[in-house]
Amino acid sequence: MPHPLVAELENAFQEVRNRDLTLGERLRHIADCVRANGPDFAAAVDTFVARLEAAQAGSTAPMVGDVMPDFCLPDHEGRLVTLDQLLERGPAVLAFHRGHWCPYCRLNMIGLAEIEQEAKPAQIVAISSEVQQYTRMLRAEAGAQFPFLTDVGGGYTLSINLAILVDDTMSAMIGVAGWDIPGYQAHSPWVLPVPAVFVVGQDGIIAARHVDPDYRRRMELDALLDAVKLVRV
């Protein structure tokens, strides 16, 4: 049997996943569900997020005007993908997320799939530390055509100062809920990315970014499409 909070979150997710709402409105529905059905969990999340905000987590990740560092990561089918290869075909939208278990990330990926065609010629790419079993699962659920990459061991995320260590209190609560984060990530430590989006032009320069240590908030889809206009050629 799923944890009661997880069951309620799944109901909330299914309720809003296809509704005509902004991404932010869908995400707030999930956050409201957590507060209503898991007040202790919600309080722990507030404390965790406050610590990340105080530490300015993600603030030293690549900035607008910087060159986005290259990567070489396996996609959902195990094929190696580099940023340079993506940029040969057009601009890129790099979306870092926590994984298939996170209802906020699931809604985020669904939202990105909804605008995938409108964003072209920019190529959307999802990046997490999850192994292919779970990247394929999330890609199928989202109905996405774009690649889902595995940042093995969180190495790339660490290299661009976007990784955070999940503390013992938060990791214990996540584990009790039934989410095996280390298992999803091939038994890597309790490290997750700060959810972020980087819009990268074909010259490799970052034209727009959205980095927020509060994983309950994401870049709105309209704002992302506006940012993509900056790198269309």
Side-chain angles (χ1 to χ4, degrees):
M1 291 289 292
H3 187 282
L5 176 58
V6 174
E8 291 295 338
L9 285 173
E10 184 62 27
N11 291 336
F13 168 81
Q14 296 297 341
E15 183 180 345
V16 296
R17 60 170 296 170
N18 294 318
R19 287 179 60 186
D20 185 19
L21 300 170
T22 67
L23 178 58
E25 289 169 337
R26 297 182 208 180
L27 298 176
R28 283 191 290 276
H29 186 74
I30 299 297
D32 290 343
C33 176
V34 176
R35 295 195 185 282
N37 295 282
D40 291 343
F41 193 97
V45 168
D46 287 340
T47 299
F48 178 62
V49 168
R51 179 175 67 81
L52 295 179
E53 290 177 335
Q56 298 183 313
S59 63
T60 58
M63 304 293 290
V64 171
D66 291 347
V67 174
M68 191 71 191
D70 195 15
F71 55 71
C72 182
L73 304 174
D75 71 6
H76 52 280
E77 297 295 343
R79 297 166 296 203
L80 292 177
V81 176
T82 70
L83 178 58
D84 283 348
Q85 289 171 342
L86 292 170
L87 297 180
E88 287 176 1
R89 300 195 294 269
V93 175
L94 310 180
F96 291 81
H97 66 99
R98 290 150 41 99
H100 82 286
W101 57 277
C102 171
Y104 301 96
C105 298
R106 293 165 68 192
L107 288 172
N108 194 180
M109 294 305 108
I110 288 170
L112 292 176
E114 290 172 353
I115 65 167
E116 182 175 6
Q117 294 304 314
E118 194 173 352
K120 290 186 179 300
Q123 166 75 78
I124 298 173
V125 178
I127 302 175
S128 75
S129 293
E130 294 199 314
V131 298
Q132 279 77 26
Q133 174 185 352
Y134 302 109
T135 60
R136 287 194 294 268
M137 185 186 303
L138 182 54
R139 183 174 183 264
E141 177 183 68
Q145 298 301 309
F146 55 83
F148 279 58
L149 308 185
T150 296
D151 179 20
V152 181
Y156 183 67
T157 305
L158 283 163
S159 75
I160 60 172
N161 300 321
L162 205 61
I164 55 97
L165 178 66
V166 183
D167 61 39
D168 291 343
T169 299
M170 198 70 247
S171 61
M173 297 193 80
I174 292 172
V176 167
W179 291 314
D180 180 15
I181 310 308
Y184 303 150
Q185 301 180 165
H187 302 287
S188 61
W190 275 88
V191 173
L192 290 172
V194 175
V197 174
F198 297 89
V199 179
V200 185
Q202 279 195 271
D203 56 3
I205 303 297
I206 299 169
R209 81 196 274 273
H210 182 274
V211 178
D212 193 334
D214 189 341
Y215 62 83
R216 298 167 294 190
R217 299 190 295 249
R218 306 296 168 99
M219 189 177 195
E220 284 289 3
L221 302 177
D222 286 347
L224 177 53
L225 289 173
D226 286 342
V228 165
K229 294 176 184 177
L230 301 174
V231 293
R232 281 184 173 143
V233 293

